Amino acid sequence: MLFPPTLLNRLRETRHLVVLTGAGVSQESGIPTFRDALTGLWARFDAEQLATPEAFLADPALVWGWYEWRRGQVLRCQPNAGHRTIAELARRVPRLTLITQNVDGLHERAGSPAVLALHGSLHRPHCADCGQAHPLPDAPSALPDGGACLPPPRCGACGGLVRPGVVWFGESLPVEVWQAAQSAAGACDLLLSVGTSSLVSPAAELPVMAADQGALVVQINPAVTALNAVAQINLRGTAARILPELLAQAWPDDDAMPAPPAQEAPCC
Ligand code: APR
């Protein structure tokens, strides 16, 4: 795919690039998205039953087991060329703000220096009562596919139940992270939206904020989404294919992307 010169010039000349990612950027690492038909987590599991504070209160072992299953899946996966290109872009532009809806930690493992994780992390659980962070063993308990009920640990400080460190439906985003994301969208000159259905607010408002203040908004997604009407450029394809190509076309003379780790292949 040859990218429009406007985009390549803007990428080379950007003063402040925002990259907003969703589950699609991790799909080529073997992690299912949320809403892709049949394969998406919400096609196989009921979000209401698993990703709400009420669900955790009703059945802590069901919810904890499911998140530990997902953490195990993620730890068996590797960042892909999409994650690595975003980390490399941060070395090529004066300022890059990476905002993700993902809770898998693959951006950090790909070497992205600072990540605004709007929806929290699978790797940072905390006490549901006192908020105390709770250290997790590196390897989660071995669980059958699809997870199994697993009683959550107890908080070392107050004895309360430890909950997954993710933002559930009906909960607010971490204030400082959201404020930093809003100010970046309000100040950037280029925003890349990669692998999100743009259906979940408030994250879906960020590209609109950027467009409203004059930034060029570019979407990378193999499917049409609600963002097609907002983005000035829509690139139809996958993150791990389009992002490395975009980098190579924007900086044709620079050294190519760092080589991927030998064992890169979808894991699950
Ligand atoms: N590369 C790029 N995009 C992809 C790829 C890929 N390889 N595979 C799928 N996609 C696209 C899909 O077409 C879809 O538009 O990624 C998008 C994934 O959308 P969702 O499953 O809705 O995930 P996301 O947008 O991240 O969901 C937002 O909703 O369920 C909550 O908290 C959860 O953070 C999540 C939020």
Side-chain angles (χ1 to χ4, degrees):
M1 180 192 289
L2 273 183
F3 301 112
T6 335
L7 171 55
L8 299 176
N9 292 336
R10 290 290 287 267
L11 194 51
R12 282 190 291 265
E13 293 155 12
T14 181
R15 286 169 295 101
H16 184 182
L17 167 64
V18 165
V19 179
L20 171 67
T21 66
V25 79
S26 294
Q27 186 268 334
E28 289 156 290
S29 292
I31 300 174
T33 66
F34 288 93
R35 289 175 186 82
D36 281 350
L38 303 178
T39 59
L41 285 172
W42 299 148
R44 292 191 280 153
F45 304 97
D46 180 342
E48 294 307 315
Q49 236 206 325
L50 291 161
T52 64
E54 296 75 21
F56 184 67
L57 279 180
D59 192 340
L62 175 71
V63 172
W64 182 259
W66 187 64
Y67 279 95
E68 276 298 273
W69 166 70
R70 286 180 58 196
R71 189 169 75 94
Q73 231 191 4
V74 162
L75 291 173
R76 288 191 298 275
C77 291
Q78 294 293 332
N80 61 55
H83 299 105
R84 292 197 303 279
T85 302
I86 294 167
E88 179 62 25
L89 273 172
R91 289 185 274 272
R92 307 265 178 126
V93 302
R95 185 172 176 200
L96 186 151
T97 303
L98 174 53
I99 305 168
T100 191
Q101 298 167 83
N102 300 345
V103 294
D104 55 32
L106 289 182
H107 283 303
E108 291 87 343
R109 284 169 57 193
S112 283
V115 182
L116 295 177
L118 296 178
H119 297 162
S121 166
L122 287 172
H123 312 289
R124 288 199 300 271
H126 54 85
C127 175
D129 295 343
C130 73
Q132 169 104 358
H134 185 84
L136 278 177
D138 288 346
S141 334
L143 292 168
D145 192 30
C149 288
L150 187 67
R154 290 277 171 182
C155 171
C158 76
L161 284 180
V162 172
R163 57 159 286 173
V166 301
V167 177
W168 281 325
F169 289 105
E171 293 188 319
S172 314
L173 274 54
V175 176
E176 282 166 23
V177 177
W178 176 237
Q179 285 172 346
Q182 283 180 296
S183 72
C188 67
D189 51 59
L190 177 59
L191 184 144
L192 297 182
S193 172
V194 186
T196 177
S197 56
S198 301
L199 290 173
V200 174
S201 283
E205 295 156 22
L206 294 168
V208 179
M209 291 178 200
D212 287 351
Q213 57 86 355
L216 175 67
V217 174
V218 177
Q219 177 178 219
I220 297 173
N221 197 313
V224 172
T225 74
L227 193 62
N228 276 68
V230 174
Q232 290 99 322
I233 299 177
N234 289 292
L235 304 175
R236 291 287 291 278
T238 69
R241 292 179 65 84
I242 288 190
L243 285 168
E245 191 50 33
L246 189 56
L247 187 108
Q249 288 185 27
W251 290 277
D253 309 324
D254 281 24
D255 295 343
M257 277 282 297
Q263 78 276 14
E264 183 188 2
C267 61
C268 312

